[in-house]
Amino acid sequence: MRDFSNCTAIVTGAASGMGYAFAERFAAEGMNVVLVDIEADALKAAVTRLEQDERSVVGIEVNTMQRESVESLRDQAIVRFGNIHVLCNNAGVTSSEDGGARSLWEIPDSTWDWVLGVNFYGVLYGIQSFLPHMIEHGEPGHVVNTASVGGIVAGSGAYSASKHGALSLSEGPYLDLRAADSKISASVLCPGLVQTNLLNAERNRPDQFGGPAEPTQESFAAEMMWQDAMDPSNVASLVWDAIVNDTFYILPHPGFDEIVRDRVDRILSRTAPEPLDYANLAKRRAAGELV
């Protein structure tokens, strides 16, 4: 996909972090952009910033865990801008109750429901709601799903499981679209450490899934590790290049390649998985070994 004039992009999780960077880049390239988020005040502020630069943008508050909410987003976006050409299923969450000191079987059901609801079903509902429209209108388009390097390497917990699922929800549609000789293509984004609000996702946790939680000491330590992480605008540039050049796998952090390779080697050698050593990752990141 190379001609973006009069095209429209949908970006979920767009009030901050990578989602905002994607929206900013798309708008700067002359696209109409629908910014989507569950956090109303942050969404309004994000839209206002882009409007001050005279960008063609609109914000729509959406709960991506609910199919009806995503379908309503589609309908509102089409009424506002017409055909949709780029879909970024980017909204994501993690929980202080997920992984860490807890074994997988100790994670509360409410955490599984929330994390999978956003990270897996949010992607699925986006695909189900938008792809038929994008295929039907017959114009070129692209879908970008945000997974994680945690969706490739061995891990434990709801976040890891959800991101493995998001990776599969990207590979499957890509193959289906190719088989159908469609003008729509797809990419999957698997970032490592990026400066986002992911570690503070509990602020938007709905009451039905346990409500907002106070940050733990572990989350503060993790946040310190992420403070020197990649700038979201750099990730946005890679996503833009992937859309233009039809690149499927987007891995922004070459320093993590050996970690991905180790997991594949363990599978092929029929051995066993090894957990990520986050303390060691932090040291290597500080030493400039991981980018």
Side-chain angles (χ1 to χ4, degrees), residues 152-154 256-269 271-276:
I152 304 176
V153 301
F256 282 85
D257 287 3
E258 64 181 84
I259 300 171
V260 174
R261 188 175 295 111
D262 177 73
R263 196 237 179 174
V264 175
D265 287 345
R266 288 177 181 277
I267 293 173
L268 294 177
S269 63
T271 54
E274 285 289 336
L276 283 177

Side-chain angles (χ1 to χ4, degrees), residues 20-167:
Y20 179 77
F22 300 165
E24 187 177 40
R25 179 60 185 266
F26 295 157
E29 296 288 347
M31 299 185 71
N32 307 312
V33 184
V34 181
L35 285 79
V36 180
D37 210 281
I38 196 173
E39 193 170 9
D41 291 343
L43 177 61
K44 183 178 179 180
V47 171
T48 299
R49 288 198 299 274
L50 293 177
E51 286 178 335
Q52 290 172 346
D53 292 332
E54 299 184 351
R55 306 306 189 191
S56 177
V57 299
V58 65
I60 300 179
E61 185 180 351
V62 173
N63 183 348
T64 57
M65 294 180 65
Q66 299 175 357
R67 186 195 303 271
E68 297 80 6
S69 187
V70 179
E71 290 175 343
S72 176
L73 162 66
R74 176 201 59 207
D75 295 343
Q76 292 178 69
I78 292 172
V79 168
R80 178 64 182 266
F81 290 126
N83 290 341
I84 308 303
H85 304 87
V86 173
L87 169 66
C88 290
N89 292 308
N90 172 72
V93 298
T94 189
S95 171
S96 58
E97 297 178 320
D98 183 17
R102 290 176 182 255
S103 299
L104 184 144
W105 52 87
E106 297 174 320
I107 299 170
D109 286 348
S110 59
T111 295
W112 281 101
D113 292 342
W114 179 51
V115 174
L116 287 172
V118 177
N119 296 355
F120 179 83
Y121 283 100
V123 174
L124 177 61
Y125 296 154
I127 291 170
Q128 291 177 327
S129 298
F130 281 92
L131 256 183
H133 157 75
M134 294 170 69
I135 294 169
E136 184 178 357
H137 66 56
E139 299 170 6
H142 207 94
V143 176
V144 180
N145 296 329
T146 298
S148 168
V149 71
I152 304 176
V153 301
S156 178
Y159 182 80
S160 177
S162 70
K163 291 304 185 178
H164 276 77
L167 177 62

